[in-house]
Amino acid sequence: REDLVESGGGSVQPGGSLRLSCISYAPPIFTNCMGWFRQAPGKGREGVASVKRDGKSDYIGDVKGRFTISRDNARNSLELRMDLLNSEDTAVYYCAAGRGLPSQLCGGGYCCRLSTSDYTYWGQGTQVTVSS
């Protein structure tokens, strides 16, 4: 069994919407931060959105206002709602979980950055294709 199990994704036309879901079986301490990353063909993996256990979220610039990340701690689940999709959003999307970066600068004593090095557990990836 995978520690993070993703579902959703698929193909959609520009301007459309998709929802990604992820169920976590990772140890709770490693789910302080949960996030979505993506990797387009020929490019590195980039952070898209993250959410702390208290619900505080962060996004990369070009998805702000279009994507919404949310988590349900009781269900150990994570979602990413993606609206107004465009061709630049085409990529394999990965669910990720980690302890976070210890820091007194962020609430709860840790920060959730959009950095792959901060995440320990990864899903298998799900394809999102935006094309007319």
Side-chain angles (χ1 to χ4, degrees):
R1 185 187 69 187
E2 299 287 341
D3 292 300
L4 298 177
V5 180
E6 300 151 347
S7 60
S11 296
V12 66
Q13 293 185 338
S17 299
L18 285 173
R19 183 173 64 187
L20 305 181
S21 299
C22 174
I23 299 295
S24 172
Y25 298 98
I29 188 64
F30 287 99
T31 61
N32 286 344
C33 300
M34 296 194 76
W36 291 98
F37 289 72
R38 66 186 180 187
Q39 188 164 14
K43 295 185 178 180
R45 191 170 298 188
E46 66 171 352
V48 175
S50 68
V51 60
K52 297 184 70 173
R53 189 173 295 280
D54 63 6
K56 183 177 180 181
S57 58
D58 192 19
Y59 300 87
I60 56 170
D62 65 354
V63 307
K64 285 183 178 179
R66 300 190 297 121
F67 290 12
T68 303
I69 189 171
S70 61
R71 63 186 289 172
D72 185 330
N73 294 328
R75 296 176 182 270
N76 297 318
S77 66
L78 180 72
E79 287 195 350
L80 184 68
R81 171 74 181 186
M82 304 182 291
D83 296 315
L84 299 175
L85 286 160
N86 58 62
S87 60
E88 297 297 311
D89 297 316
T90 295
V92 177
Y93 283 70
Y94 298 88
C95 173
R99 299 183 66 168
L101 179 70
S103 174
Q104 296 305 313
L105 298 178
C106 301
Y110 65 94
C111 300
C112 293
R113 303 183 302 175
L114 291 172
S115 173
T116 56
S117 62
D118 288 1
Y119 294 80
T120 304
Y121 291 90
W122 294 85
Q124 76 282 5
T126 184
Q127 178 70 46
V128 171
T129 302
V130 185
S131 174
S132 56

